[in-house]
Amino acid sequence: MLPIQRDFRFDLPRSRVGSWHGCGAHVSHFFNAMSVFFPVGERYFIASVRAHRGKIKDETLDAEIRSFIGQEAMHGREHEDYNRLLAQAGFPVQKLERRVARLLKFTQAITPASWQLASTIALEHFTAILADRLLGDDALLRDSVEPFRDLWLWHSIEETEHKAVAYDVWQQAVGRGAGAYVLRAGGMVVTGAFFVSMIAAFSAEMIESDPALKGKRGGYLQLLKFLLGRGGLVRSGFPAWLDYFRPSFHPWQHDNRALLKKLDQIEQRVNRVEFAKAA
Ligand SMILES: [Fe+2]
Ligand SMILES: [Fe+2]
């Protein structure tokens, strides 16, 4: 699959940035915390893949890498705008972003390129699962403010399109043998532990910094239900996460291309917004 770069813009309403999700502000801040990761994180993914590009002899994969880089750059741009709104609304985005940047810079300084690619494919597996769940279950973004929902759906579509690109680079550049497996699985354990604990901490910091949520502890229960309840994001995504540890794993063993047709809905709305602005 050749990923397609789409130059979409999302007119996110600033007044709703702290509370745009249909399940309330706590769930909104969980997604906002993930948004904090994306601009710096996606630059790291691009660098990790680029570092191995010289070893790729396959022209198709090289074209896919180009599209992958284009897509991640666009995601970075839109999430930067999103994060700017969060900062303007008084959320501690810059402080959190600096923490991610420091960690990734440190990783780049002390680990080999293969480890950086191992952490990239691990994180791409997380984004592929998130994307599959958001596209596959309408309930997870139901009653959310449209431009925010559209941004997450657009990002999900492109993450699905390119979910195997970094992985294919891994297989061609690092290999498929026992050594590559140990590094890939170890990369998931370490990267996963950092990612999950940082998302939890960042979500809590965003929530605690929101003056509108003072004393509203019930929202935490709602967030737990959203993540771990029946059909919850983490609960329903967990089996797919485990698949990663099979030695023969490949992202397209889970063929979810059918979900890409959701793009039609977004395109209609994005075009409508642009049309309305021009008029
Ligand atoms: Fe992305
Ligand atoms: Fe990605």
Side-chain angles (χ1 to χ4, degrees), residues 112-129:
S114 55
W115 177 265
Q116 293 163 39
L117 188 58
S119 59
T120 294
I121 56 174
L123 290 166
E124 283 284 282
H125 187 52
F126 277 106
T127 55
I129 294 169

Side-chain angles (χ1 to χ4, degrees), residues 108-169:
Q108 284 172 327
I110 65 154
T111 65
S114 55
W115 177 265
Q116 293 163 39
L117 188 58
S119 59
T120 294
I121 56 174
L123 290 166
E124 283 284 282
H125 187 52
F126 277 106
T127 55
I129 294 169
L130 173 71
D132 179 73
R133 300 311 308 128
L134 295 184
L135 292 170
D137 184 358
D138 289 337
L140 292 172
L141 287 172
R142 187 173 292 151
D143 299 329
S144 299
V145 175
E146 246 180 25
F148 286 99
R149 188 182 61 196
D150 286 348
L151 181 144
W152 284 102
L153 289 178
W154 158 75
H155 196 163
S156 297
I157 282 166
E158 298 197 349
E159 287 303 322
T160 303
E161 286 179 339
H162 75 227
K163 68 176 177 174
V165 176
Y167 195 88
D168 288 339
V169 171

